[in-house]
Structure formats: structure tokens, C-alpha cells
Amino acid sequence: MASVIRHAVAGLRWILIGAAVVAVVAGAAVGVATVALGHTPPHGTVALDRPIAEWSLVADPGIDRIQAMDAAVAAVPDSRAVAAEFETEHRGPVWEVEVVTSAGVEYEVTVDANTGEILGAAEHD
């Protein structure tokens, strides 16, 4: 009787290992299919990092991403913009723009998304 139980447990172990392998392969296939079908944003666009319902609570900003980056570059002499992120968490709608000077110093410039006014610039660590 003990050998029957031992064989049943061994068989069950291989079934569980097989199920785990199938799950991993299926997950990888879904990931590859997602990328292959183009469910990633094309180069040069900004992906929404929040659900659509949250964006509906935000008024249409007065300035777009490019205008915010231009304002940040104008605020920090001899710099170029490397990234911009739209935020609404604490102060209302703002663009947080990262700029880098020719000397390699990084700054984060906060731009009011409605008016384009520079709210602050801080050296980035």
C-alpha cells in the first residue's frame, strides 16, 4: 500500500511541475503577443500612466508638454530638456520637467500647466 501512495505522490508532483511550466510559457506568450501587436506607445508619444477616469478630473492644461519643456529650458540658462511628466497630486496641474546644463548639472523645473509660469527649479541630486 505504501508503494502505491508513493507512486501517486510522485505522479502528482510531475503534474504540478507540468502545470507550472505551462503557466510560465502561457504568460510569456501573452507578453510577447502584447508587444508584437503594438500595445506599447509609439516612439515620441506620451503614455497615460493613470486610468482615464483620473484624467477626466483634470482640466485641459493651458500648455502642452513641448511648451512646458521650452519654458523650463528658458528658465535654466544653457540647458536642454530631457523629460517631462504631468502631475496633479499636490499643487494642481503642473509639468515637472528635467533639464540638464552643458556642465551636466540636472534640474527639475516645475511649470504651471495652466499658465506656463515657472513655479520653481531645484537642482536634482
Side-chain angles (χ1 to χ4, degrees):
M1 182 69 174
S3 77
V4 171
I5 294 173
R6 196 172 321 136
H7 286 299
V9 169
L12 182 60
R13 179 178 51 202
W14 285 110
I15 289 173
L16 291 174
I17 291 171
V21 168
V22 168
V24 168
V25 170
V30 169
V32 169
T34 299
V35 171
L37 293 176
H39 292 289
T40 58
H43 180 70
T45 63
V46 177
L48 296 177
D49 62 345
R50 297 192 172 107
I52 295 297
E54 282 188 40
W55 286 103
S56 66
L57 300 175
V58 178
D60 186 26
I63 64 168
D64 63 17
R65 179 175 181 259
I66 300 298
Q67 292 170 317
M69 292 172 83
D70 290 342
V73 167
V76 178
D78 193 29
S79 68
R80 65 181 174 81
V82 293
E85 184 177 336
F86 187 73
E87 288 288 329
T88 60
E89 294 173 0
H90 303 291
R91 311 170 273 255
V94 295
W95 287 99
E96 292 181 354
V97 182
E98 287 185 35
V99 296
V100 177
T101 66
S102 61
V105 180
E106 295 180 13
Y107 289 89
E108 184 173 287
V109 181
T110 304
V111 181
D112 187 301
N114 292 321
T115 65
E117 176 186 353
I118 303 297
L119 301 176
E123 191 171 328
H124 209 281
D125 296 340

